[in-house]
Amino acid sequence: MRLRRAVHRARVGLRRSAVDYFRGDGSDWIALTALLLSIPVLALSTAGWPEWCPPEALLLPLVAAGLLLRPASLLGLYVAVAFALVLETALIDAERSAPDPVTPGTILLVAAVALIGLLIAQFRSRVGVPWRRGHTMLFDLRERISAQSALPAPPDGWHHEVSLRPAGGQSFSGDFVVAARTGPDGRTLEVVLTDVSGKGIDAASRSLLLSGAFGGLLGSLPPHGFLPAANGYLLRQDWQEGFATSIHLVLDLDSGDYELLSAGHLPALQLHAGTGRWQEVAAEGPLLGVWDGAEFHPAKGTLRRGDVLMLFTDGLVERPDEDLSEGIDRLTGAADRYVTRGFRNTAWDLIDAVAKDVNDDRALVLIGRD
């Protein structure tokens, strides 16, 4: 009975240690032990079969150690590798006709990989994210951003969709969307589309911070108080490249009446189903993060049956060699193809048609009334 309990406790402890290690919360002794045991195996294999296991095979535990171990443990492993190289030299018959496989070049190569591994381990130690957990954290972060960018489920008679395309095929974008159902019984839809200065990875870190802050502000303040609060928050960050453009839609889902507030953002485009024509809806307001006390004046409109409203960022319509109006005409021309068949599941296709290969962040929000 005691033996069984001891075995059970050992199994539980080993399992907890493995889970903590994978999460980055525990010691790295499991990986260190496994790598230390691999070194004599490789050294003896090199001494016995140098043609099949050259001395450079010691690079394998070095590479793994640079990704898995802490700097202090890494130095202990390097001592074992150095001793293994000496052991290989001593065990290999120096009088054989073939040249000694442990050459100065081999030693330099192993030393170079060891130095690179140490630099990687020190960088991970500074960041505080273990390699075995870092990729999982970034994956979770990307999924949370995608979930946050999703618009709330629309009521009957409405449809909407969002498409975000980061520059360079990256997973993180300088454009982001936050949305919420507010008001009595959630009959008001608020959507905020923001374009952070910069693009791609350069703007992604600021976008991550702002998306969380804007998501907390939206719905917690009256609609006309959101952009002033967002402007104040951005000013307090004191970033060197800290401005952003933003457009805030406040839509009454019962009547279709809406207000559009803009902070230096491009105008929205509304399709009037009765005429089949697109209308620019522009509101006045300065960029976010430029000066304190900024005022934002709304533009008003109504979405009737069959109407569609498009919100987008400049990456979708701006090109260095043409005027902005040409890009907007290109977008409306591509959208005209969907007037007769409807705009459901078209945001991604519209970006492909207008700005598929543009090296800039692109975002498009479509809201339509059936």
Side-chain angles (χ1 to χ4, degrees):
M1 182 63 69
R2 292 181 179 179
L3 179 60
R4 183 179 301 175
R5 290 179 178 176
V7 171
H8 176 71
R9 285 195 296 268
R11 290 175 57 189
V12 172
L14 182 62
R15 187 188 314 166
R16 288 178 178 174
S17 298
V19 171
D20 288 341
Y21 178 76
F22 176 76
R23 296 175 56 191
D25 301 330
S27 173
D28 59 354
W29 67 268
I30 298 178
L32 177 60
T33 301
L35 293 173
L36 286 174
L37 292 176
S38 69
I39 290 175
V41 174
L42 293 173
L44 294 175
S45 299
T46 299
W49 306 281
E51 297 83 1
W52 293 96
C53 185
E56 289 81 1
L58 290 172
L59 296 177
L60 298 177
L62 287 180
V63 171
L67 297 173
L68 297 174
L69 300 184
R70 296 178 173 86
S73 302
L74 200 59
L75 294 177
L77 187 79
Y78 288 172
V79 173
V81 171
F83 180 77
L85 285 174
V86 174
L87 180 64
E88 289 176 355
T89 305
L91 292 179
I92 294 175
D93 186 6
E95 297 181 357
R96 64 176 57 179
S97 57
D100 191 344
V102 183
T103 63
T106 300
I107 298 175
L108 289 176
L109 182 61
V110 172
V113 173
L115 177 60
I116 294 173
L118 183 60
L119 293 176
I120 293 174
Q122 289 178 338
F123 175 76
R124 287 190 291 104
S125 179
R126 288 182 57 191
V127 173
V129 178
W131 172 82
R132 60 191 179 273
R133 181 63 178 167
H135 67 286
T136 305
M137 185 192 73
L138 291 176
F139 176 80
D140 291 342
L141 183 59
R142 185 185 67 182
E143 294 303 308
R144 290 177 185 272
I145 293 173
S146 298
Q148 181 174 278
S149 299
L151 272 62
D156 293 338
W158 293 90
H159 67 271
H160 54 56
E161 58 183 292
V162 178
S163 182
L164 298 173
R165 302 283 285 274
Q170 303 292 335
S171 297
F172 300 96
S173 172
D175 300 342
F176 65 88
V177 177
V178 292
R181 294 273 294 272
T182 60
D185 300 324
R187 300 304 298 177
T188 299
L189 174 65
E190 296 189 48
V191 181
V192 176
L193 173 61
T194 302
D195 183 358
V196 178
S197 57
K199 60 182 179 180
I201 296 299
D202 294 335
S205 59
R206 297 192 299 274
S207 176
L208 293 176
L209 179 61
L210 290 182
S211 63
F214 286 12
L217 291 174
L218 190 66
S220 302
L221 297 170
H224 286 202
F226 173 80
L227 286 182
N231 182 59
Y233 177 82
L234 204 58
L235 285 170
R236 291 192 297 272
Q237 305 311 305
D238 196 23
W239 290 330
Q240 291 183 352
E241 192 179 2
F243 67 89
T245 69
S246 190
I247 189 166
H248 180 197
L249 171 68
V250 184
L251 173 63
D252 187 321
L253 296 172
D254 289 327
S255 65
D257 295 336
Y258 67 83
E259 286 190 340
L260 204 62
L261 299 104
S262 174
H265 203 85
L266 298 176
L269 291 173
Q270 179 178 352
L271 172 67
H272 294 278
T275 63
R277 295 182 178 180
W278 292 92
Q279 173 193 0
E280 291 188 12
V281 184
E284 296 181 1
L287 298 169
L288 295 178
V290 175
W291 65 74
D292 197 8
E295 295 183 357
F296 305 92
H297 303 287
K300 298 183 179 181
T302 301
L303 286 178
R304 297 179 174 85
R305 299 290 181 182
D307 287 2
V308 175
L309 189 68
M310 291 197 300
L311 313 177
F312 50 91
T313 56
D314 57 5
L316 190 61
V317 294
E318 282 190 352
R319 289 184 181 176
D321 56 346
E322 67 179 24
D323 189 72
L324 177 61
S325 60
E326 297 181 34
I328 293 178
D329 289 342
R330 189 171 56 251
L331 175 59
T332 56
D336 282 339
R337 297 180 300 172
Y338 300 97
V339 171
T340 57
R341 53 179 171 170
F343 283 83
R344 291 183 181 272
N345 303 317
T346 58
W348 186 274
D349 294 335
L350 279 174
I351 292 180
D352 275 346
V354 177
K356 180 179 181 180
D357 299 320
V358 175
N359 188 27
D360 198 356
D361 299 321
R362 293 142 292 164
L364 177 62
V365 179
L366 279 172
I367 299 176
R369 191 173 186 185
D370 298 335

